[in-house]
Amino acid sequence: MNAPTPAQHLQRPVPPAMLAALRAAFGERCNTALSVREQHGRGESVYDAAPPEAVVFCESNEDVMTVVRLAAAHGVPVIPYGTGTSLEGHLLAVQGGVSIDLSRMNRVLRLNAEDLTVTVQAGVTREQLNREIRDSGLFFPIDPGANASLGGMAATRASGTNAVRYGTMRENVLGLTVITASGELMHTGTRAKKSSAGYDLTRLFVGSEGTLGVMTEITLKLYPLPEAVSAAICHFPSIDAAVQTTIQTIQMGVPIARCELLDANAIRAVNLHSKLGLREAPMLLMEFHGSEAGVQEQAETVQALAAEHGGEAFQWAKTPEERTRLWTARHQAYFAALQLRPGCRCQSSDTCVPISRLAESINESVAEAEASGIPYWIVGHVGDGNFHLSYLMDPNDAAEAAKVEELNVRMVRRALRLEGTCTGEHGVGLHKMGYLLEEAGAPAVAAMRAIKQALDPQNIMNPGKVFALQPV
């Protein structure tokens, strides 16, 4: 039910006249080589590549406006592209068209350290941003596992390991520059901390997955680098014990900065990939930010809670290098896990539930995963009720793929039953379109569809994603 419908696959070829105009405007920056097109027609999802007919490497707002205006004149789809790390098929050119590669739009445009804001082009990655602003004493905390572009992160409303304390892209994007479906340049939001002026267009575009316009510049909140940072790992006798510790930590109001769950399978993967020697048992990887006294108090509180649930004495990462090594290993868990079953593909799904329902959601999902016999692994930003369950499946085994999809259906519907969401941070893309309908309901999806049709009447902006243009 969540596979793309045939209507979404109707191809809309790029006319020769448009291709000639793109080549005249962009020269070698308009590329039609198969290898380049295939690279831009796949992400990290299990879907096969669906390449665009052309890729244009844009370097300015004017470049993007030129491409979109040509696309609008010819009724051709455009798909924004950042770093290609999507997990739900966002990048696939299911109706053909042109991929707009924003990776060369990678400048930090304006740092306002006094106001704790920065404006960047969409192709800037999160790691690049933090390198460039390090000397200011500030940092940007949103950190999905991949070194994603900030435009892609805004498009999918990304979060990551720090979300439990600092929020998601929804809370940290102040304003946008957007190229609309007609090729006009539009600004949303300001650098002010709040506004009651008109509709909140910024939050409308954040999370729209490229279906309403192309975001080319983003204004973000920044935060002071904490005076003290402390990281620790703690092993538990079971996943449930680790989750119960997390729940109590959040319910007590401990301002923990990061609280990541890794199951034994995930730890085995990162041990092999990153040459770590961690014990292969359920583990929480935690980080505390604040003053020296505040960090110590937070850590002592969580350590006491962990002990109540069988958690072993904390092992502290005492140096920045040790912390970086642990967090780098955590961020590389996806690629590390692929090595556990050579030739496999990873079907990864994430859900998010109220913190009080987290144990129920994870425990039932783990029981089903164990019973399936299919290799799996779990990581989770459990401090905000979000976890990822990933299956390592044989791409040539149709029965196994069907079983994995059945397990995903159960996991998502369980989250919905527990008053959660079908996706905490991956986005809807192609895979979760049916789930969005179940979660939001037909009237809400109809409202989204009306907004899409109003802003993109030709349906050229990343068509076939989030929901079908017409009810099915």
Side-chain angles (χ1 to χ4, degrees):
M1 82 172 213
N2 284 292
T5 64
Q8 291 170 260
H9 287 301
L10 293 176
Q11 295 296 298
R12 292 190 273 172
V14 178
M18 178 179 170
L19 192 55
L22 289 173
R23 286 173 170 156
F26 296 100
E28 294 182 353
R29 289 193 285 132
C30 175
N31 198 311
T32 57
L34 179 60
S35 60
V36 175
R37 292 191 293 113
E38 287 185 337
Q39 174 194 348
H40 288 74
R42 65 159 61 94
E44 296 297 338
S45 71
V46 297
Y47 292 109
D48 293 329
E53 289 188 62
V55 177
V56 178
F57 293 86
C58 291
E59 297 178 351
S60 66
N61 289 332
E62 290 72 24
D63 283 353
V64 179
M65 293 167 68
T66 297
V67 177
V68 174
R69 285 173 178 171
L70 284 168
H74 293 278
V76 168
V78 291
I79 305 98
Y81 183 95
T83 60
T85 56
S86 160
L87 288 166
E88 299 292 358
H90 298 94
L91 306 174
L92 277 65
V94 293
Q95 296 184 17
V98 177
S99 174
I100 297 179
D101 188 308
L102 300 166
S103 62
R104 298 184 186 182
M105 295 181 65
N106 59 358
R107 291 187 296 123
V108 175
L109 299 173
R110 182 182 179 189
L111 173 63
N112 296 94
E114 299 87 350
D115 298 321
L116 280 71
T117 67
V118 66
T119 299
V120 301
Q121 290 183 306
V124 173
T125 66
R126 64 176 184 86
E127 291 181 4
Q128 174 195 346
L129 174 60
N130 279 322
R131 283 196 304 270
E132 294 198 24
I133 65 173
R134 183 178 298 141
D135 291 343
S136 70
L138 304 173
F139 81 117
F140 182 67
I142 311 304
D143 65 334
N147 183 27
S149 69
L150 290 161
M153 289 167 61
T156 56
R157 204 182 297 128
S159 54
T161 60
N162 276 315
V164 62
R165 177 158 182 170
Y166 298 98
T168 72
M169 290 297 284
R170 179 182 65 184
E171 292 80 31
N172 288 283
V173 175
L174 293 171
L176 297 166
T177 297
V178 178
I179 309 304
T180 69
S182 60
E184 296 179 302
L185 186 147
M186 178 174 69
H187 297 290
T188 76
T190 70
R191 291 196 306 109
K193 291 187 67 174
K194 61 183 182 179
S195 171
S196 59
Y199 294 170
D200 192 343
L201 295 179
T202 301
R203 282 179 173 77
L204 175 62
F205 281 95
V206 172
S208 62
E209 303 184 16
T211 63
L212 300 179
V214 182
M215 290 178 276
T216 59
E217 297 174 10
I218 306 112
T219 297
L220 302 162
K221 292 181 184 179
L222 299 177
Y223 296 81
L225 286 165
E227 174 190 334
V229 177
S230 182
I233 60 174
C234 184
H235 292 282
F236 291 85
S238 66
I239 290 178
D240 183 66
V243 171
Q244 294 295 341
T245 299
T246 303
I247 291 172
Q248 291 186 21
T249 297
I250 301 306
Q251 290 176 338
M252 288 185 65
V254 178
I256 192 168
R258 289 166 152 175
C259 187
E260 292 290 296
L261 170 70
L262 290 84
D263 75 343
N265 297 326
I267 293 175
R268 181 161 61 254
V270 299
N271 276 344
L272 291 171
H273 184 267
S274 301
K275 304 298 185 286
L276 300 178
L278 300 172
R279 180 177 148 200
E280 293 179 8
M283 184 185 83
L284 289 181
L285 171 55
M286 296 163 282
E287 191 166 278
F288 307 92
H289 295 177
S291 65
E292 292 284 356
V295 163
Q296 182 176 349
E297 181 181 2
Q298 294 171 42
E300 290 174 351
T301 299
V302 177
Q303 191 165 2
L305 291 173
E308 294 177 7
H309 295 282
E312 295 185 349
F314 278 29
Q315 299 174 47
W316 296 97
K318 298 179 180 179
T319 66
E321 292 75 19
E322 288 177 320
R323 291 198 304 271
T324 298
R325 189 180 182 206
L326 283 173
W327 286 112
T328 299
R330 161 62 186 93
H331 284 318
Q332 294 176 348
Y334 178 87
F335 299 103
L338 290 174
Q339 299 176 13
L340 295 178
R341 191 180 186 187
C344 74
R345 297 183 79 169
C346 184
Q347 173 67 284
S348 179
S349 188
D350 82 308
T351 60
C352 187
V353 297
I355 193 70
S356 63
R357 313 306 296 272
L358 181 62
E360 182 178 353
S361 184
I362 291 184
N363 290 339
E364 292 184 18
S365 298
V366 168
E368 290 174 351
E370 285 287 340
S372 75
I374 301 172
Y376 74 94
W377 54 284
I378 292 176
V379 295
H381 316 312
V382 288
D384 55 12
N386 182 206
F387 74 100
H388 308 257
L389 198 160
S390 304
Y391 290 92
L392 303 174
M393 61 184 229
D394 182 349
N396 300 313
D397 188 333
E400 188 169 283
K403 180 65 175 177
V404 167
E405 184 57 32
E406 178 187 345
L407 291 165
N408 281 332
V409 169
R410 292 180 184 177
M411 174 180 164
V412 170
R413 287 183 170 157
R414 178 177 302 113
L416 298 183
R417 173 172 55 82
L418 298 176
E419 300 180 271
T421 178
C422 65
T423 174
E425 58 184 3
H426 289 179
V428 174
L430 290 173
H431 186 220
K432 292 190 170 179
M433 293 170 66
Y435 302 139
L436 176 65
L437 183 61
E438 291 186 38
E439 176 179 328
V445 173
M448 296 180 201
R449 189 178 290 116
I451 293 169
K452 165 73 169 173
Q453 291 175 322
L455 296 181
D456 181 18
Q458 295 188 87
N459 190 29
I460 65 171
M461 288 291 173
N462 203 12
K465 315 297 167 53
V466 184
F467 45 74
L469 191 59
Q470 300 298 329
V472 294

